[in-house]
């Protein structure tokens, strides 16, 4: 057996080498089984071209996979929602049903459902491959909708190729991207939010809640129709325009993909689709997700794998998405969904609690996605730390391009809640932020949508609390607000500069959006007050939110200009736990942080290479709401001393105020050639 690279890279995995290799073999064998006729995953994953409703030059054609059904008919506005002989499917084998209709039997905009019968029962169902699902505003009932507008969407950027660069991700939700008390639209996002993202300096949009979900408050994580972009935000063409516009600005768009579970709804979703409980999902205890009140896919069934793989390809082909952030990967990997362990030992990743079928599916999904679009980005939301999650498949990994550093926001919440900042341990901060697998790429972040949800608090709200309501005017001085602004900047800067290979921010958090996210629900009288983004706060020249927005923009400009996230080496240069000063080098830049809340230091020395240095970013700048006590135009000359035990025999001495971060760049020396 040839050693896999993830084992070569991590000798602690050697005891589990056979298990890792067997997972690799299992995926290889499953791929061979699935592609025996088609020849490749790319050809195999084309279910959306076969199933569902399709219009040709002279007829409509519908196909459904419903092996337990005894009859299927289509009911809709075209036949008064009644059974009619012309609208009866016929069974064509292997659980597949087919219906061919003349073009005059239905038209664009018609509403419809399937009526399925099975032994002992019957029910209305929305087709599994429906591409358009709408909700009646009065009855709140969901129906599929015939969607065949005259002409197809004309892509302005037809073959956008995502550039090979570190993703700086703007996590966004179209519905709550408006400031008004309502659901926002794709068109509004395209017109108003994409320009903000461009101006702010982000290069990737992670779009949430795209797949249709019956309950808005689920944040898009209880999916009912996997092939239908949510109609509450607009039409499929509106979504295509959003992605097209982002590509025009060279912004990558990835989708929050939910293949980890599905909503329990029967009339809207896949539950008991053909009358059976096991068509798409497990039977028995494995069927129900104990924490999410949802249903768990059976990844061992080839038909389910076909449905989900086709779904991946559909969003890439039809909507030109550039990849996916896979939700709930941890839940997929383990029979107990990762809920009963803290994953403190390697053996916990190989103790028989792992769902090999799910692991195989994730490997095949990653392979397919990169066959369809080689430059695509796949990101795993995986919190257990399973080795190899973001390692190449041929190395023994699952094939994701990145994994989210999910421990980082938990760490920041913990120390903000539990440790006074005068006791923050800079050594612990550096250790926690850099504790990651070196053979896997990670995306770091201080907070995502998770930390903003009702019941939790954003960083800025934890730091300011009620003062955010009364003391955010620039002409008001408040020590609590000043502390919060200073720490907000430090936390973000130290996180992005140690983040690994990418960075993520949830929309609005870059300027310290107040309060939390709470979707309209019975408990808040269906209010939209907390389900929107107050952009006017960031735009107001009189409010301090502008300071944080200015800082975020300048921070990202620095990160991109010096390609910090692409530099693999991160060198700790200085750690003063008592004084709370931390310094490290990445790429061309030296980052110095004074987390001390009280002490500013004069002539503070950091050992560096000899030469001249200047400041390229100062968190205490007046532009960012600081005191402006550092002379940013000054050229810093190193001073030498003799100590052969030290790495560098030169000091870079500086004035560094309390709660301030300074970024230095060495000025290239001029070489004079004498003839």
């Amino acid at each position: 057996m040839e050693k896999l690279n993830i084992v070569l890279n991590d000798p602690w995995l050697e005891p589990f080498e056979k298990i890792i290799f067997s997972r690799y073999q299992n995926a290889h064998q499953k791929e061979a089984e699935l592609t025996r006729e088609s020849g490749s995953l790319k050809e195999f994953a084309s279910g959306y071209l076969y199933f569902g409703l399709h219009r040709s030059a002279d007829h409509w054609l519908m196909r459904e996979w419903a092996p337990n059904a005894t009859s299927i008919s289509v009911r809709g506005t075209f036949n008064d929602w009644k059974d009619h002989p012309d609208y009866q499917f016929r069974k064509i084998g292997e659980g597949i049903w087919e219906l061919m209709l003349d073009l005059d039997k239905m038209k664009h905009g018609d509403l419809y459902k399937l009526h399925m019968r099975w032994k002992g029962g019957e029910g209305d169902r929305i087709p599994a491959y429906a591409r358009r699902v709408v909700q009646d505003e009065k009855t709140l009932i969901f129906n599929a909708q015939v969607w065949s507008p005259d002409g197809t969407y004309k892509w302005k950027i037809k073959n956008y190729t995502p550039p090979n660069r570190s993703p700086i991700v703007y996590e966004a939700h179209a519905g709550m991207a408006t400031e008004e008390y309502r659901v926002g639209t794709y068109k509004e996002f395209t017109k108003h939010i994409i320009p903000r993202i461009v101006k702010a300096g982000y290069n990737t949009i992670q779009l949430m809640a795209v797949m249709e979900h019956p309950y808005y408050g689920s944040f898009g994580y209880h999916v009912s129709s996997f092939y239908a972009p949510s109609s509450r935000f607009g039409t499929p063409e509106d979504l295509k325009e959003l992605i097209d516009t982002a590509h025009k600005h060279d912004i990558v768009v990835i989708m929050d993909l939910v293949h980890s579970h599905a909503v329990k709804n029967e009339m809207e979703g896949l539950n008991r689709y053909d009358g059976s409980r096991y068509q798409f999902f497990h039977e028995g205890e494995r069927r129900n997700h104990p924490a999410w009140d949802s249903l768990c896919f059976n990844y061992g069934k080839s038909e389910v794998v076909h449905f989900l793989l086709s779904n991946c390809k559909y969003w890439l082909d039809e909507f030109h998405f550039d990849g996916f952030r896979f939700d709930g990967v941890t839940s997929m990997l383990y029979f107990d969904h990762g809920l009963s362990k803290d994953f403190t030992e390697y053996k916990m990743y190989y103790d028989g609690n792992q769902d090999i079928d799910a692991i195989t599916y994730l490997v095949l999904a990653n392979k397919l996605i990169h066959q369809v679009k080689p430059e695509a980005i796949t990101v795993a939301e995986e919190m257990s730390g399973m080795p190899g999650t973001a390692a190449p498949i041929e190395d023994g990994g699952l094939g994701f391009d990145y994994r989210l550093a999910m421990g980082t926001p938990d760490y920041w919440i913990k120390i903000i809640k539990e440790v006074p900042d005068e006791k923050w341990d800079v050594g612990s901060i550096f250790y926690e932020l850099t504790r990651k697998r070196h053979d896997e790429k990670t995306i770091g972040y201080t907070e995502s949508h998770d930390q903003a949800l009702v019941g939790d608090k954003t960083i800025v709200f934890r730091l300011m609390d009620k003062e955010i309501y009364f003391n955010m005017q620039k002409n008001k001085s408040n020590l609590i607000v000043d502390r919060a602004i200073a720490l907000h900047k430090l936390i973000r800067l130290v996180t992005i500069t140690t983040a690994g290979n990418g960075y993520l921010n949830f929309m609005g958090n870059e300027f310290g959006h107040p309060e939390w996210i709470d979707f309209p629900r019975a408990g808040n009288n269906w209010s939209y007050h907390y389900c929107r983004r107050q952009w006017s706060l960031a735009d107001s020249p009189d409010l301090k939110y502008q300071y944080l927005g200015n800082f975020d923009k300048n921070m990202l400009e620095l990160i991109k200009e010096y390609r910090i996230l692409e530099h693999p080496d991160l060198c700790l240069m200085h750690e003063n736990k008592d004084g709370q000063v931390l310094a490290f080098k990445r790429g061309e830049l030296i980052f110095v942080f004074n987390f001390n809340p009280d002490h500013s230091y004069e002539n503070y020395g950091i050992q560096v290479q000899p030469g001249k240095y200047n400041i390229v970013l100062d968190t205490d700048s007046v532009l960012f709401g600081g005191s402006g006590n550092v002379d940013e135009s000054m050229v810093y000359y190193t001073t030498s001393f003799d100590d052969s035990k030290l790495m560098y025999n030169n000091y870079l001495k500086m004035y560094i105020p309390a709660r301030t971060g300074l970024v230095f760049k060495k000025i290239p020396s001029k070489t004079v050639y004498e003839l």
Side-chain angles (χ1 to χ4, degrees):
M1 181 177 69
E2 186 178 346
K3 277 192 178 294
L4 297 167
N5 280 342
I6 66 168
V7 179
L8 292 173
N9 292 335
D10 186 351
W12 290 98
L13 291 174
E14 286 186 3
F16 315 104
E17 186 172 7
K18 288 184 179 180
I19 297 175
I20 296 170
F21 189 75
S22 69
R23 294 177 181 179
Y24 174 79
Q25 282 186 312
N26 194 73
H28 183 72
Q29 291 166 2
K30 187 65 176 180
E31 180 183 2
E33 173 193 329
L34 296 176
T35 61
R36 190 170 293 117
E37 295 182 7
S38 61
S40 70
L41 283 176
K42 186 176 180 180
E43 295 302 317
F44 169 78
S46 299
Y48 63 96
L49 299 175
Y50 182 80
F51 292 107
L53 174 63
H54 300 277
R55 177 178 179 171
S56 70
D58 55 3
H59 65 267
W60 297 96
L61 184 63
M62 298 180 73
R63 292 194 188 97
E64 289 293 324
W65 174 61
N68 192 56
T70 56
S71 72
I72 305 177
S73 63
V74 61
R75 298 173 173 179
T77 51
F78 37 76
N79 60 13
D80 295 326
W81 299 96
K82 297 177 182 178
D83 279 343
H84 188 280
D86 291 347
Y87 295 89
Q88 293 288 332
F89 284 71
R90 66 186 183 94
K91 199 168 187 177
I92 61 175
E94 298 183 342
I96 299 174
W97 298 75
E98 184 178 85
L99 170 64
M100 187 178 293
L101 293 170
D102 293 336
L103 287 180
D104 61 356
K105 294 294 185 181
M106 60 173 61
K107 64 182 184 304
H108 172 68
D110 280 343
L111 303 179
Y112 69 100
K113 278 182 179 174
L114 303 177
H115 188 74
M116 290 202 187
R117 291 182 171 85
W118 53 85
K119 291 180 181 179
E122 60 184 281
D124 289 336
R125 298 289 186 265
I126 290 177
Y129 284 84
R131 299 192 183 193
R132 172 77 170 167
V133 176
V134 296
Q135 185 179 27
D136 187 279
E137 293 183 1
K138 294 181 179 179
T139 65
L140 303 183
I141 292 174
F142 285 86
N143 292 293
Q145 187 175 37
V146 177
W147 199 254
S148 182
D150 293 335
T152 58
Y153 178 80
K154 299 293 190 296
W155 291 93
K156 298 178 181 65
I157 308 294
K158 293 182 180 179
N159 296 301
Y160 177 72
T161 301
N164 183 18
R165 65 190 178 196
S166 298
I168 302 175
V169 184
Y170 202 76
E171 187 183 41
H173 184 287
M176 60 179 296
T178 177
E179 190 156 351
E180 298 179 28
Y181 290 82
R182 59 176 176 81
V183 178
T185 67
Y186 297 128
K187 276 192 169 296
E188 290 170 328
F189 190 94
T190 301
K191 182 178 180 181
H192 302 298
I193 308 307
I194 287 181
R196 288 184 178 274
I197 296 171
V198 173
K199 185 178 179 181
Y202 291 84
N203 61 29
T204 304
I205 295 172
Q206 179 185 307
L207 200 59
M208 307 174 67
V210 175
M211 295 187 286
E212 191 60 85
H213 45 289
Y215 179 45
Y216 188 45
S218 77
F219 224 143
Y221 291 116
H222 276 190
V223 175
S224 52
S225 295
F226 286 76
Y227 287 81
S230 181
S231 61
R232 56 171 58 87
F233 310 132
T235 69
E237 286 69 34
D238 294 341
L239 176 58
K240 290 177 181 179
E241 182 185 27
L242 186 161
I243 297 167
D244 206 9
T245 303
H247 288 167
K248 180 181 177 183
H249 292 285
D250 200 22
I251 292 180
V252 166
V253 187
I254 63 174
M255 178 175 143
D256 214 342
L257 189 75
V258 185
H259 282 181
S260 47
H261 62 135
V263 73
K264 284 185 172 180
N265 300 36
E266 292 185 12
M267 291 185 66
E268 294 90 2
L270 299 176
N271 189 13
R272 294 183 72 240
Y273 187 68
D274 65 355
S276 67
R277 295 166 60 84
Y278 51 80
Q279 183 184 2
F280 288 95
F281 309 105
H282 286 290
E283 294 185 89
E285 292 183 4
R286 291 190 64 192
R287 172 180 170 81
N288 295 294
H289 197 293
W292 296 345
D293 191 32
S294 55
L295 300 178
C296 301
F297 285 109
N298 182 351
Y299 305 103
K301 292 185 70 170
S302 295
E303 295 88 350
V304 174
V305 172
H306 181 244
F307 178 81
L308 295 175
L309 289 179
S310 296
N311 193 237
C312 295
K313 185 183 175 188
Y314 167 75
W315 292 108
L316 295 172
D317 274 359
E318 295 294 314
F319 288 87
H320 294 195
F321 276 101
D322 303 304
F324 305 99
R325 177 264 201 188
F326 277 69
D327 175 69
V329 170
T330 305
S331 175
M332 299 170 71
L333 293 177
Y334 304 97
F335 290 131
D336 67 354
H337 306 292
L339 299 173
S340 65
K341 290 185 174 68
D342 54 7
F343 297 98
T344 55
E345 300 177 85
Y346 268 38
K347 64 182 180 182
M348 293 180 177
Y349 304 115
Y350 309 100
D351 59 2
N353 181 40
Q354 294 72 36
D355 187 341
I356 302 304
D357 291 330
I359 290 172
T360 295
Y361 167 68
L362 290 171
V363 170
L364 296 181
N366 275 294
K367 189 166 186 178
L368 165 73
I369 290 163
H370 292 99
Q371 280 183 5
V372 175
K373 182 174 280 193
E375 305 84 3
I377 296 172
T378 58
V379 183
E381 189 214 26
E382 205 290 287
M383 62 185 301
S384 77
M386 179 179 278
T389 297
I393 295 167
E394 59 273 18
D395 290 353
L398 301 187
F400 285 96
D401 296 299
Y402 300 90
R403 70 188 310 154
L404 289 174
M406 299 185 69
T408 302
D410 293 340
Y411 173 74
W412 284 123
I413 289 171
K414 181 178 176 63
I415 68 169
I416 290 172
K417 285 174 63 177
E418 300 177 6
V419 184
D421 53 298
E422 63 267 21
K423 295 184 178 180
W424 283 9
D425 184 335
V426 294
S428 173
I429 289 173
F430 186 79
Y431 171 75
E432 290 294 336
L433 295 182
T434 57
R435 188 163 59 98
K436 52 181 69 76
R437 300 190 65 82
H438 297 294
D439 58 346
E440 300 184 39
K441 291 182 179 180
T442 58
I443 292 178
Y445 59 109
T446 60
E447 52 189 345
S448 66
H449 70 276
D450 286 328
Q451 287 72 44
L453 286 169
V454 64
D456 207 338
K457 289 183 179 180
T458 61
I459 286 176
V460 79
F461 204 53
R462 285 187 184 281
L463 294 171
M464 291 190 194
D465 206 69
K466 67 179 185 300
E467 301 301 325
I468 203 168
Y469 298 117
F470 308 111
N471 291 290
M472 288 299 283
Q473 292 87 354
K474 287 182 179 178
N475 60 4
K476 278 191 175 184
S477 179
N478 183 277
L479 293 178
I480 293 176
V481 170
D482 291 347
R483 168 185 177 268
I485 288 176
L487 288 179
H488 195 271
K489 292 179 290 186
L490 287 182
I491 288 169
R492 273 166 162 67
L493 182 60
V494 75
T495 299
I496 195 172
T497 51
T498 58
N501 316 92
Y503 179 72
L504 178 142
N505 167 72
F506 179 69
M507 65 176 185
N509 286 356
E510 71 278 7
F511 66 83
H513 197 284
E515 303 171 324
W516 50 85
I517 300 167
D518 191 11
F519 282 82
R521 55 188 174 87
N524 62 20
N525 199 27
W526 303 103
S527 170
Y528 284 90
H529 181 78
Y530 297 110
C531 194
R532 59 198 180 100
R533 297 283 91 177
Q534 300 178 58
W535 305 107
S536 59
L537 298 177
D539 295 340
S540 173
D542 301 321
L543 298 178
K544 296 176 182 178
Y545 297 101
Q546 194 176 77
Y547 292 145
L548 296 178
N550 290 342
F551 173 74
D552 196 75
K553 182 177 185 295
N554 280 264
M555 178 182 75
L556 296 188
E557 287 176 354
L558 180 83
I559 294 300
K560 290 188 294 185
E561 180 181 355
Y562 294 98
R563 305 170 75 92
I564 294 301
L565 296 173
E566 296 169 29
H567 284 279
D569 296 326
L570 185 62
C571 176
L572 177 63
M573 302 179 70
H574 182 83
E575 178 187 315
N576 179 350
K577 292 189 177 184
D578 293 334
Q580 294 183 283
V581 178
L582 174 71
F584 53 85
K585 186 174 187 293
R586 190 169 185 184
E588 299 178 58
L589 304 182
I590 296 172
F591 302 88
V592 185
F593 295 87
N594 179 10
F595 281 94
N596 198 302
D598 302 314
H599 296 293
S600 300
Y601 298 101
E602 293 186 22
N603 289 320
Y604 196 92
I606 305 292
Q607 295 161 30
V608 298
Q609 291 178 331
K612 297 185 295 183
Y613 292 79
N614 63 344
I615 293 174
V616 291
L617 187 68
D618 168 20
T619 68
D620 194 47
S621 168
V622 174
L623 180 65
F624 311 142
S627 300
N629 289 326
V630 176
D631 183 357
E632 298 174 26
S633 65
M634 179 177 169
V635 175
Y636 292 77
Y637 292 82
T638 58
T639 57
S640 62
F641 61 93
D642 187 18
D643 191 338
S644 59
K645 296 179 181 179
L646 298 174
M647 181 183 300
Y648 301 123
N649 294 338
N650 285 266
Y651 270 130
L652 175 64
K653 292 188 176 182
M654 68 198 73
Y655 170 64
I656 181 165
R659 293 194 182 118
T660 295
L662 299 176
V663 184
F664 290 90
K665 180 183 181 296
K666 190 171 184 288
I667 300 172
S669 58
K670 295 181 180 179
T671 302
V672 178
Y673 295 94
E674 296 183 2
L675 296 177

